[in-house]
Amino acid sequence: MTARAHPSEETLLRFAAGTLPAGPRLVVAAHLEGCVRCRATVRAFEAVGGALIEAQDGLPLAPDAFARVVARIDGDAGGEPRRATRARAPAPAGLPQGFALPAALSGCRIGALRPIAPGVRMGRVGVPGDPKANVMLLRIEAGRSIPDHTHAGLEFTQVLHGAYHDHRGRYGAGDLVEVDGEVDHAPLVDADSTCICLVAVEGALRFRGLLGVLLRPFV
């Protein structure tokens, strides 16, 4: 499973620095489990941060420090992905047979998948330490779509199973799709498979039409 859509460099930098909110951080962590390229970028950002801390303590930063970090990114990107060692959280009822949740969800409380729209079920994900984090596990049936919406903040969607598409492209298992308030879309799931997504939202989703009004209490 090779991802074609990845978090932005700004998001990965925030992840490495520990400044990404708990909800998006959880979704990015799920992406990192299967993406060697993004793990290498995070490690490089962490290395730069460590070097800067050392420099603040009075140790000079080597002139070629940044060049070595970039080379490390290029070198690590071809490596084998590390296997997650944490026990995986039990999947709620209603997910495909044999489906395993990302290890990043270990310790999270996942609510039952309940219908919120035709062909769409949602389970709330409780993030330890941040009860206000807006994280959802979605199951969308084959050929169904999420109602047309835009965003008050960033939306992070990690595709765990299946695939969907919108006007910007097609996204499959392993992809992390990051969108902001400039994007107005109605993701449509492929006709041959159920789609499972882990979604974190900064701010509120803004749905269009009557169905969107009905969905507001749920999302």
Side-chain angles (χ1 to χ4, degrees):
M1 180 172 64
T2 301
R4 292 177 293 179
H6 305 270
S8 66
E9 286 195 351
E10 179 183 356
T11 293
L12 292 176
L13 177 58
R14 293 171 69 195
F15 182 93
T19 60
L20 196 64
R25 183 175 182 84
L26 179 66
V27 177
V28 172
H31 177 78
L32 292 176
E33 289 181 26
C35 184
V36 64
R37 165 182 152 179
C38 288
R39 287 201 306 272
T41 302
V42 168
R43 288 198 298 270
F45 284 141
E46 291 171 342
V48 170
L52 290 175
I53 290 174
E54 290 181 357
Q56 288 177 351
D57 290 338
L59 297 176
L61 188 63
D64 64 341
F66 186 75
R68 286 190 285 110
V69 167
V70 172
R72 179 178 175 181
I73 294 176
D74 293 339
D76 286 354
E80 290 297 321
R82 296 176 295 178
R83 296 187 179 275
T85 57
R86 289 180 292 174
R88 296 180 184 271
L95 294 180
Q97 185 70 27
F99 175 79
L101 291 171
L105 290 173
S106 177
C108 295
R109 178 182 51 79
I110 304 174
L113 297 177
R114 303 186 184 280
I116 61 169
V120 182
R121 289 179 173 267
M122 181 190 78
R124 285 286 182 186
V125 178
V127 181
D130 190 349
K132 294 184 179 180
N134 193 6
V135 183
M136 302 158 275
L137 187 67
L138 293 177
R139 172 179 175 138
I140 310 101
E141 301 302 328
R144 293 287 188 171
S145 66
I146 298 291
D148 186 24
H149 64 279
T150 185
H151 320 81
L154 291 176
E155 175 190 279
F156 301 81
T157 299
Q158 174 69 15
V159 183
L160 304 177
H161 178 84
Y164 75 85
H165 63 274
D166 59 17
H167 65 281
R168 301 176 312 125
R170 181 180 181 275
Y171 309 102
D175 288 337
L176 190 148
V177 186
E178 183 177 329
V179 296
D180 59 20
E182 299 298 318
V183 175
D184 189 331
H185 64 162
L188 177 64
V189 171
D190 286 3
D192 59 353
S193 179
T194 297
C195 187
I196 309 296
C197 296
L198 181 66
V199 183
V201 178
E202 293 182 315
L205 296 183
R206 295 172 175 169
F207 287 96
R208 311 291 191 190
L210 177 60
L211 182 56
V213 173
L214 297 176
L215 283 176
R216 285 174 189 166
F218 299 97
V219 184

